[in-house]
Amino acid sequence: RGGGSGGAGGGGVPGRYVVLGILVLSVAGILALALSAPWSESRRAPVQQTPSGGDDPSSAPPSAARLEGTSSPQQAGPPAAASPGADPLRGLAEGEGAELVAAATALRGRLRLERSLLEATLTRLLDPALGAETRARLAFVLGTLDAPGVEATLLASLNRFGDDAAYLRAALLALGAQQEPADRDDVFDMGDRPHGVSGPGGLGITIRRELASAAVKAALLRHLGHASESARYAAARALDASAASAVVRDGLRAALLHEEIDAVAARVAEPLGRWAASAPAGTERSAVLDLLLTQALQGDLDETRFRLEKDLGRIRLPEAGYDRLLDATGTGATPAVRLFAIT
């Protein structure tokens, strides 16, 4: 830059070498980066893969919901319809515990809505080929339905399968099953509730219905004299809410005179006690109270006393009744009887 041609020639050669050196180094750097790219990408590849147990369902271990063929609650839709060839009683026959309760609930819903299925199911109840345990479970389900043909079929089944003690108990209880609200199907886990009773397979229904059918009341009253304790107990439970009927009260009084089993006598006496607590004074009420006191003052009927204590305690008894209670406070009575009389 500074002088003539010599000066320019002497200073220009080193300048060209510097420029050339810079170009060579730049090209070398580019080539080095290009050659190293596959190696670096291969090193980074594992980081880009979805690790096991991540958000990718295809690589994650199957969850319990998938193993059971169900989806998450957020994605759950209406239950799948039963396949056309499936036996509608299969779940009832094979289920246990919560599965059985769910099967009974689902079956009740279908029977309530599908008239043809109800008619076919009533026919199957009377089919001797149906398993005994399944028949008992089915009777429990049918008893909760206020539908045409149900009571008549249950009554017919008493005659056909009454020799089966377990079925007889289930059918008698079913005849007194609560049926309201009609559109509530989840009513089979009530065994430990007030007015509840447990039955076949652990199904539990509520027994609290005032019976309207004369035929049903007659059948239940007839079974109060059955040889089987479980049948008498079931009949008494089914009649529990029907003491407003004079026919039922007469039957209960007759049965109580001869019943020696405390658990049964208690269930026969209890509806009479509730009736007497609200009935007007009269000849029948006096006769019922006299009978109830007679039973309660027997030494070995502890449950009967327990079930009568509340109702008798709020009744003004005839003078003769108070005299009997005073006599029972003496030393000749058992401690349980004396305590009842004082209470």
Side-chain angles (χ1 to χ4, degrees):
R1 278 198 308 267
S5 59
V13 174
R16 285 195 299 271
Y17 280 120
V18 170
V19 172
L20 181 61
I22 292 172
L23 290 173
V24 170
L25 289 174
S26 299
V27 171
I30 293 171
L31 290 174
L33 289 173
L35 292 173
S36 65
W39 177 84
S40 61
E41 290 298 321
S42 65
R43 292 291 298 270
R44 287 194 297 268
V47 179
Q48 295 171 350
Q49 294 176 356
T50 302
S52 176
D55 294 332
D56 184 358
S58 64
S59 64
S63 66
R66 294 192 195 93
L67 288 174
E68 296 172 1
T70 59
S71 59
S72 64
Q74 292 81 359
Q75 298 174 343
S83 58
D87 185 345
L89 301 187
R90 180 175 179 180
L92 197 69
E94 299 178 356
E96 297 295 338
E99 291 182 356
L100 174 58
V101 171
T105 299
L107 178 61
R108 186 186 189 278
R110 291 191 62 190
L111 294 174
R112 179 169 53 82
L113 299 174
E114 302 176 34
R115 181 64 179 272
S116 60
L117 177 60
L118 174 62
E119 293 173 351
T121 302
L122 291 175
T123 299
R124 291 189 70 181
L125 184 74
L126 299 178
D127 184 353
L130 187 65
E133 176 68 12
T134 304
R135 179 180 292 107
R137 295 177 180 190
L138 180 56
F140 248 42
V141 174
L142 289 171
T144 66
L145 290 167
D146 182 11
V150 169
E151 286 186 342
T153 303
L154 286 172
L155 289 174
S157 74
L158 295 178
N159 297 326
R160 188 167 298 189
F161 307 109
D163 291 339
D164 179 345
Y167 178 75
L168 180 61
R169 177 183 184 275
L172 291 170
L173 290 170
L175 286 168
Q178 180 171 304
Q179 298 173 338
E180 298 295 335
D183 59 351
R184 180 180 177 184
D185 299 319
D186 57 333
V187 294
F188 299 103
D189 193 21
M190 306 292 183
D192 58 352
R193 306 286 184 89
H195 307 286
V197 64
S198 296
L203 292 176
I205 58 176
T206 302
I207 306 294
R208 185 176 55 186
R209 178 165 62 94
E210 185 172 357
L211 303 172
S213 167
V216 170
K217 287 186 282 190
L220 293 171
L221 289 170
R222 186 167 63 251
H223 281 86
L224 287 177
H226 196 276
S228 167
E229 175 185 336
S230 65
R232 299 196 305 275
Y233 175 89
R237 289 297 305 270
L239 289 164
D240 182 76
S242 299
S245 164
V247 172
V248 171
R249 291 196 302 275
D250 289 344
L252 292 173
R253 289 168 58 189
L256 190 57
L257 280 171
H258 306 288
E259 184 56 64
E260 298 178 351
I261 304 300
D262 187 23
V264 180
R267 294 296 184 171
V268 175
E270 188 173 24
L272 289 173
R274 283 200 305 271
W275 174 82
S278 58
T283 304
E284 183 186 5
R285 182 173 180 270
S286 297
V288 167
L289 288 174
D290 185 67
L291 174 61
L292 295 178
L293 283 176
T294 297
Q295 296 300 113
L297 296 177
Q298 293 188 36
D300 55 350
L301 298 181
D302 291 333
E303 185 177 350
T304 301
R305 279 187 289 275
F306 171 76
R307 294 195 173 276
L308 288 176
E309 187 174 274
K310 179 179 178 181
D311 289 317
L312 291 184
R314 59 193 184 95
I315 294 174
R316 181 171 180 81
L317 299 173
E319 291 301 319
Y322 287 115
D323 291 340
R324 294 179 66 185
L325 289 174
L326 285 172
D327 290 342
T329 61
T331 56
T334 66
V337 171
R338 292 203 303 272
L339 178 61
F340 171 81
I342 293 170
T343 303

